[in-house]
Amino acid sequence: MKIRVLGAGFAGVRAALDLDRLLGRQGVDISIINKDPYHELTTEIYRPAAGRDVRVLAVPLEDIFAGTSVAVVQGTVTDIRLRERQVVLDRQRILKFDRLVVALGSEPEYFSIPGLRENSLTLKSLNSAENIRRHIDAMLSQAAALANPADRQPFATVIIAGAGLTGVELAGELADQRPVLARRHGLVPEEIRIITVEAAPDILPGFDDALIEAATDMLMRKGVSLILGTPLRAVEPGAVVLEDGTRIAARTIIWSGGVRANRLIEKCFTTRNRGRAVVNEYLQSVDDPTVYIIGDAALAINTRTGQPVAPTAQHAVQQGRLAARNIWAELKGRPLRAYRARTIGVLATVGHDVGLAHIGPIKLFGRFPVVVKDLNTWRYILSLGGTRLLLKVLWRNGRLRWARA
Ligand SMILES: Cc1cc2nc3c(=O)[nH]c(=O)nc-3n(C[C@H](O)[C@H](O)[C@H](O)COP(=O)(O)OP(=O)(O)OC[C@H]3O[C@@H](n4cnc5c(N)ncnc54)[C@H](O)[C@@H]3O)c2cc1C
């Protein structure tokens, strides 16, 4: 029995760990396949994108799976052949499977807005965060080299298009990094403009009103300009054109307006709703019940609302657990369990010092959510490998910092 888990993000890692717990000692061959040798904490990457040093952004897969029966395979999945029960890695290596868990995540959705893909940066991975950081640094350094303030402005302007959680967290973080960036490049902090553009009438569309109000207030206090209820018409090299015809020159344009499932999903499975795979109530693909599809790649339905579950880490982890449990049930001849989405809450920072939390009936704004968010990251690492993993991560990180210093 070969069980392959594709993707070591929030959903895949949880599924593989639970498969090991349930089936690892029973002669089942479990492997997890990922293009990078580490598990990225995507929920943290807006911080390094703004140039902030962060304690932990990724955890090596070898540390997570040390002492388990899960084999870690590094490679890029280039095809999934359902009929042959094969996964193709890097267009050449073939792995057979008996059960498959597909957790390949998402990528940016550009909604066919002219020029958006070609002329914007996105924040989806550690590499993309590093790209954004370097790009902003390069633009500010060019701004500093120009004598005329009008010429400098486009180089010192950052437009973040899309004000969901990612866009808001990034805008807040960048606003707080402004003095550091300005000092580094010999600019005045106020010269660095951060503009958030959102098509919906408010930031954080779909969130609770109190959260929206608090986040709006926090961003405005930090000097972020908000252009709301204004979709993008087009993006040109070095400028965005808004629906009303306004053109804003900016050398840094970051798109955070939406995601779609990994393109490979569309190639291999029945999909709907931005390329997400259609799954049944047990999270099995409608194309093949031996394949479970979870996380951002899946169109899992919240049975209480009848709506697709939002692509978030908390839902990805829950789906990882259920897929592992259902594979175990299948192999043991037990009944499968249906998916019940549970939204634990919202936790976000708006810059270094303030944030928002909405957990159950509790709503918190201010400093406390920042602490809760950091604690939540440590709690998550503990959930992957207990204190053993936490200490290892801290030790490695400490050594890295020491080496860099
Ligand atoms: C900046 C940002 C902030 C966020 N903040 C929050 C938050 O605060 N709370 C929250 O709940 N959610 C947040 N999210 C959303 C959350 O990160 C995703 O919903 C979650 O990562 C989805 O988990 P997943 O396992 O489906 O996909 P991912 O975590 O993206 O994992 C997919 C994995 O598959 C790998 N992969 C992809 N393609 C291939 C391939 N072809 N071959 C091999 N490997 C491949 C990737 O490298 C990755 O390891 C945030 C997202 C971003 C971008």
Side-chain angles (χ1 to χ4, degrees), residues 11-33:
V13 163
R14 188 68 259 163
L17 284 171
D18 281 20
L19 281 166
D20 173 66
R21 183 172 52 78
L22 295 165
L23 294 164
R25 286 199 203 94
Q26 300 174 31
V28 176
D29 174 358
I30 306 165
S31 49
I32 186 160
I33 293 124

Side-chain angles (χ1 to χ4, degrees), residues 293-357:
I293 309 182
I294 55 177
D296 286 6
L299 187 66
I301 301 293
N302 182 334
T303 45
R304 259 177 292 119
T305 61
Q307 294 301 312
V309 171
T312 64
Q314 53 181 314
H315 292 121
V317 170
Q318 290 166 23
Q319 291 168 22
R321 274 193 200 294
L322 185 69
R325 195 258 165 216
N326 278 348
I327 291 178
W328 167 84
E330 255 192 87
L331 302 186
K332 297 288 169 191
R334 304 273 182 91
L336 301 191
R337 197 174 280 166
Y339 175 59
R340 297 268 174 276
R342 211 162 46 87
T343 302
I344 301 154
V346 182
L347 200 48
T349 62
V350 184
H352 302 176
D353 55 344
V354 287
L356 348 138

Side-chain angles (χ1 to χ4, degrees), residues 6-13 33-36 38-46 75-78 89 103-106 123-125 165-166 169 259 262 264 294-297 310-317 345 347-348 373:
L6 309 184
F10 286 88
V13 163
I33 293 124
N34 200 57
K35 60 183 175 193
D36 299 308
Y38 46 79
H39 166 49
E40 290 189 3
L41 303 182
T42 327
T43 50
E44 295 292 311
I45 60 176
Y46 61 94
T76 298
V77 180
T78 46
L89 298 192
L104 291 171
S106 53
L123 182 59
K124 268 304 289 172
S125 63
L165 268 185
T166 304
E169 287 195 306
V259 293
N262 188 313
L264 190 63
I294 55 177
D296 286 6
T312 64
Q314 53 181 314
H315 292 121
V317 170
L347 200 48
K373 176 143 183 171

Side-chain angles (χ1 to χ4, degrees), residues 42-56:
T42 327
T43 50
E44 295 292 311
I45 60 176
Y46 61 94
R47 288 169 162 164
R52 182 136 164 244
D53 199 12
V54 180
R55 260 173 196 273
V56 184

Side-chain angles (χ1 to χ4, degrees), residues 54-109:
V54 180
R55 260 173 196 273
V56 184
L57 289 167
V59 187
L61 293 174
E62 63 175 51
D63 287 351
I64 296 177
F65 293 104
T68 71
S69 64
V70 178
V72 176
V73 179
Q74 195 184 342
T76 298
V77 180
T78 46
D79 199 6
I80 301 167
R81 298 174 182 156
L82 291 182
R83 221 171 315 130
E84 294 93 331
R85 317 198 69 62
Q86 291 175 345
V87 173
V88 183
L89 298 192
D90 303 308
R91 300 188 196 287
Q92 43 178 342
R93 242 168 107 193
I94 288 179
L95 299 179
K96 299 269 250 175
F97 69 83
D98 297 298
R99 292 290 180 284
L100 193 63
V101 179
V102 181
L104 291 171
S106 53
E107 53 189 76
E109 167 66 298

